[in-house]
Amino acid sequence: MKQIETQRLILRPFKAGDEKDLYEYLKSPEMHCFSDMKIDSLEQAEKEVQGRAEDPFYFAIVLKENGKVIGEIFGHPESTDPTASDMDTFSPCWMLNPDFKGKGYGYEAAHAYLDSVFKNEGIRRVYIYTEDYNIACQKLCEKLGARQEGLFKEFVSFVNDEKGNPIYENTYQYAILKKEWK
């Protein structure tokens, strides 16, 4: 995918110099699903930036006005048929620095990213997972035009309690088809 521009944002590959901003929002990820992405140092952030830079579907969400990385959005084409060669399904994931939430950046970035995926990557269906307690993400999915397709009870665990037992989370699945995309 190529760089994407919106009114206020640039979605572009990660590059050297993004380490500090990446560290800022991944030193303490808000949602449990991102706990395995936690970064403990600027040195680790530098390695993570290098890895993200090599992935053609991984984008930094950057403010046009000052070049600050305020989050990321990524996903990969997949097939619903293991024997098929065409990859027509896509599951994106996004996160924003908490200091920049509630300003419409999430919608602006996700809309532009999904628009590009549908128009340029031959994607037929996009599905999005979100925790049942992540109301902001649920509202964002609905604003994007995705419908809630199901609730998976105790679907997955990303963290453990103080005794080391997994904490299972309820997860909603939202989806939208290319023919429904506006």
Side-chain angles (χ1 to χ4, degrees):
M1 283 179 53
K2 296 180 181 177
Q3 178 172 297
I4 302 166
E5 290 195 33
T6 69
Q7 182 179 356
R8 302 178 296 166
L9 304 171
I10 297 171
L11 280 59
R12 61 152 172 82
F14 276 85
K15 63 182 183 181
D18 292 341
E19 302 83 16
K20 184 177 176 238
D21 293 340
L22 181 70
Y23 178 67
E24 191 175 300
Y25 65 87
L26 279 179
K27 64 184 172 189
S28 183
E30 272 192 315
M31 296 295 149
H32 292 159
C33 62
F34 298 122
S35 61
D36 66 336
M37 297 171 77
K38 183 179 186 305
I39 295 176
D40 297 316
S41 68
L42 283 174
E43 294 77 23
Q44 186 181 359
E46 187 175 326
K47 291 177 186 171
E48 290 296 324
V49 164
Q50 290 170 357
R52 283 165 167 75
E54 296 170 6
D55 187 329
F57 289 96
Y58 219 120
F59 284 84
I61 301 171
V62 183
L63 291 176
K64 273 186 176 178
E65 68 184 45
N66 59 15
K68 180 169 183 59
V69 175
I70 62 167
E72 57 192 72
I73 189 164
F74 57 94
H76 293 95
E78 55 189 61
S79 177
T80 54
D81 177 358
T83 63
S85 61
D86 62 330
M87 306 295 246
D88 67 349
T89 303
F90 198 85
S91 181
C93 188
W94 51 75
M95 80 174 93
L96 284 180
N97 180 324
D99 294 340
F100 295 90
K101 288 188 174 183
K103 298 176 170 102
Y105 294 128
Y107 174 78
E108 193 171 328
H111 186 276
Y113 188 79
L114 293 183
D115 196 57
S116 179
V117 164
F118 279 129
K119 289 179 178 174
N120 304 319
E121 302 301 326
I123 297 301
R124 174 191 60 82
R125 181 176 191 274
V126 167
Y127 68 94
I128 305 154
Y129 288 129
T130 187
E131 302 83 353
D132 64 348
Y133 59 85
N134 191 345
I135 305 302
C137 187
Q138 293 168 40
K139 288 180 179 179
L140 175 54
C141 289
E142 291 165 5
K143 187 174 180 180
L144 289 166
R147 77 190 148 286
Q148 187 185 107
E149 291 191 325
L151 172 63
F152 302 98
K153 300 296 265 179
E154 296 187 15
F155 182 58
V156 68
S157 172
F158 299 103
V159 296
N160 296 328
D161 66 16
E162 61 279 345
K163 294 181 182 177
N165 300 312
I167 299 172
Y168 289 98
E169 298 187 1
N170 299 330
T171 304
Y172 282 113
Q173 179 174 304
Y174 286 82
I176 188 166
L177 300 172
K178 181 177 184 174
K179 64 185 176 185
E180 299 168 324
W181 183 250
K182 297 177 183 169

